[in-house]
Amino acid sequence: MSVDGFVTVARLSDVPENRLVGVTVDGASIVLINRDGNIYALEDRCSHEEFPLSAGDLTSGEITCALHGARFDIETGKPRALPAVLPVTTYEVRVEGEDVQVKLGD
Ligand code: FES
């Protein structure tokens, strides 16, 4: 891990626009989202029953969980539809050249 807590988790070319890409880094499962060129990162685990959000759908800034249909805001991780009532963790993201980096710690 770098001194500022950011680690490279993917190449930018591996995260196509308007797709969900699941990665595992340092034991953390993360879903990367490229929404119109902006990259977001959330914990890849639905807060309802822990299903991978990377298996869901991306629509209008929200991920819909494939198992029971809960929806989460990709910027805040907040639930937007039942059955989830708790948020999922969001991660700070930056792009350095071709590297997508996520802040996993301080
Ligand atoms: S596990 Fe995601 S909505 Fe139930």
Side-chain angles (χ1 to χ4, degrees):
M1 189 179 296
S2 65
V3 288
D4 59 6
F6 281 90
V7 295
T8 298
V9 298
R11 304 284 286 170
L12 189 55
S13 55
D14 292 332
V15 190
E17 283 198 15
N18 302 312
R19 296 271 294 278
L20 304 172
V21 177
V23 296
T24 302
V25 180
D26 291 346
S29 294
I30 295 170
V31 55
L32 300 171
I33 304 126
N34 180 341
R35 183 173 189 232
D36 300 330
N38 296 311
I39 309 295
Y40 303 89
L42 301 173
E43 184 179 13
D44 193 11
R45 185 168 50 202
C46 183
S47 65
H48 179 231
E49 288 186 359
E50 304 191 352
F51 197 74
L53 291 174
S54 56
D57 291 316
L58 176 66
T59 311
S60 303
E62 295 177 343
I63 289 181
T64 301
C65 179
L67 197 55
H68 308 112
R71 297 198 313 270
F72 298 90
D73 184 303
I74 63 170
E75 291 189 45
T76 66
K78 290 182 178 169
R80 294 285 185 225
L82 295 171
V85 294
L86 298 173
V88 295
T89 299
T90 59
Y91 297 93
E92 220 177 305
V93 182
R94 72 183 181 195
V95 177
E96 292 284 327
E98 254 297 300
D99 292 341
V100 177
Q101 299 183 331
V102 168
K103 190 171 188 177
L104 293 180
D106 294 320

